[in-house]
Amino acid sequence: PNALLEALAHGLPAVSLNCLTGPADLVEDGVNGYLVASNAGAEGLARHLERLMADDALRVALGTRAIEARTRFAFDTIGPGWDSALGLSDAS
């Protein structure tokens, strides 16, 4: 998921298999990329990749929304949740 998140943060729309290890937490299907059913295999991935490669406007639109990952997953945004989950208190 780190490479997927880095791609989104750099404005690249993502195409990912929707497996159990996190892509659905990062990719909003049809918003910042595409989630492909895990049983769709290489053909499913290829179909979505071809769609993005063939449509400049779609690629730009999804890429623009992909950049929002910078804010959604920034340390200042998720750090407090991790601190809370780990039972850490604010040192200030």
Side-chain angles (χ1 to χ4, degrees):
N2 284 342
L4 183 56
L5 183 55
E6 289 171 7
L8 292 169
H10 283 88
L12 299 173
V15 177
S16 177
L17 286 176
N18 190 12
C19 60
L20 298 176
T21 59
D25 294 324
L26 306 175
V27 178
E28 298 175 68
D29 190 48
V31 175
N32 62 1
Y34 291 109
L35 289 171
V36 180
S38 59
N39 62 355
E43 295 82 16
L45 285 171
R47 198 169 34 257
H48 285 83
L49 288 168
E50 288 171 355
R51 182 176 180 194
L52 279 176
M53 288 185 281
D55 189 335
D56 292 340
L58 176 63
R59 200 169 50 252
V60 168
L62 296 180
T64 298
R65 295 295 305 272
I67 293 171
E68 295 171 5
R70 291 180 191 172
T71 303
R72 280 180 50 212
F73 297 100
F75 180 77
D76 291 344
T77 304
I78 65 169
W82 277 107
D83 287 349
S84 177
L86 296 172
L88 303 174
S89 62
D90 186 15
S92 56

